[in-house]
Amino acid sequence: MKVIKHIKKGNICYVSHIDSMRVLQRTLIRANINVRLSEGFNPHPVTFTSHPLPLGVQSEEEYFVIANEDRTKDDILTAFNNNVPSGMMATECYECIKNPNFAKNVNYCEYFVEGDFVSLKKDIESLTKNTSWIIEYQFKDSTKVQDIAPLIYSLNVQTNGMVMIIASGNPNLRPDRLTSALNDKFNLNITASDIVRTRQLIIKDDKILTAEEFLQEFIK
């Protein structure tokens, strides 16, 4: 297994998760990177990704896992970057003994929102003490209700922006829904493109590990 760590920044953040998967698959074809096919009636390339990003949200840390054994990690890194569209450049490639299964194992994601929130620092950070925070959002043709208070791990206002660590996977809090709630509460104007995923985090043995730390047990 090879794990390709890559970014998703710039205009390509407006490409949906499903279409991003197609972009990655086509990149492998153009780069002549062979991927093992699954077994069964309808074989397909064995690939895995981390949790989807909401449309417009950028990322400094995405993971694309492929079942490849005939190329070195350095070969794959070079071939991938020579063929991937602008905005999805790979920063690392790891050779692993098996799939780290980020979609299953990631518990939280860290996001950075650039802006001046210093005057609201106390009010924003105190929201983590709330036992309940009910929001409403549109999903397809209906209005959904979600209590987001238990899904916020931390909110940290810095001089140049805000760091949010929130639940990812199951349960899940979309970062754009949290910023929309902050917009309503504090009369802000944060858009999805202001949000950047900076780290993916895993809870193991009561410790929070970064995806990089978690990967170490899978690396050959």
Side-chain angles (χ1 to χ4, degrees):
M1 286 285 185
K2 301 296 193 303
V3 178
I4 302 171
K5 178 183 176 182
H6 63 94
I7 64 173
K8 186 179 181 183
K9 303 189 79 173
N11 289 336
I12 205 161
C13 74
Y14 297 104
V15 175
S16 70
H17 177 70
I18 292 175
D19 286 336
S20 293
M21 285 294 299
R22 295 191 181 102
V23 169
L24 291 169
Q25 298 285 357
R26 290 168 183 166
T27 296
L28 297 178
I29 294 171
R30 287 195 299 270
N32 197 28
I33 298 173
N34 297 319
V35 178
R36 176 168 50 85
L37 297 179
S38 63
E39 299 177 355
F41 181 75
N42 184 27
H44 60 274
V46 178
T47 63
F48 309 91
T49 63
S50 41
H51 295 150
L53 283 169
L55 199 68
V57 175
Q58 303 182 77
S59 179
E60 295 176 349
E61 186 174 284
E62 295 301 291
Y63 292 94
F64 184 43
V65 183
I66 63 175
N68 171 275
E69 303 297 336
D70 67 348
R71 301 277 292 271
T72 68
K73 60 182 183 179
D74 291 336
D75 285 344
I76 287 179
L77 185 64
T78 300
F80 183 90
N81 281 338
N82 284 342
N83 290 276
V84 76
S86 174
M88 294 186 77
M89 183 183 72
T91 56
E92 297 283 350
C93 183
Y94 305 91
E95 186 165 4
C96 295
I97 55 176
K98 63 178 182 178
N99 175 23
N101 202 343
F102 291 109
K104 175 184 176 181
N105 289 307
V106 169
N107 306 106
Y108 292 95
C109 283
E110 178 187 86
Y111 299 89
F112 180 74
V113 182
E114 186 175 0
D116 182 4
F117 310 107
V118 174
S119 63
L120 297 169
K121 178 178 174 65
K122 183 178 178 180
D123 293 330
I124 289 176
E125 293 182 353
S126 68
L127 292 172
T128 58
K129 299 176 183 178
N130 289 356
T131 57
S132 180
W133 184 6
I134 306 296
I135 66 167
E136 294 183 353
Y137 62 90
Q138 291 298 123
F139 181 74
K140 296 183 178 178
D141 295 327
S142 62
T143 299
K144 301 290 186 180
V145 175
Q146 184 179 27
D147 186 357
I148 64 174
L151 307 178
I152 302 172
Y153 182 81
S154 67
L155 297 172
N156 179 21
V157 174
Q158 303 177 347
T159 55
N160 62 337
M162 172 174 50
V163 177
M164 314 184 304
I165 298 179
I166 57 179
S168 185
N170 187 21
N172 178 71
L173 172 57
R174 284 177 43 152
D176 54 337
R177 287 183 186 147
L178 174 54
T179 55
S180 179
L182 291 170
N183 285 344
D184 293 341
K185 195 172 189 67
F186 298 110
N187 195 28
L188 301 173
N189 190 31
I190 303 168
T191 66
S193 60
D194 296 324
I195 307 169
V196 180
R197 179 148 71 188
T198 49
R199 292 193 302 172
Q200 302 191 41
L201 306 170
I202 295 100
I203 298 176
K204 185 175 181 182
D205 300 327
D206 296 325
K207 296 180 180 178
I208 294 184
L209 305 177
T210 65
E212 295 282 333
E213 293 169 334
F214 179 72
L215 262 178
Q216 296 309 306
E217 65 180 86
F218 297 92
I219 294 176
K220 285 186 180 181

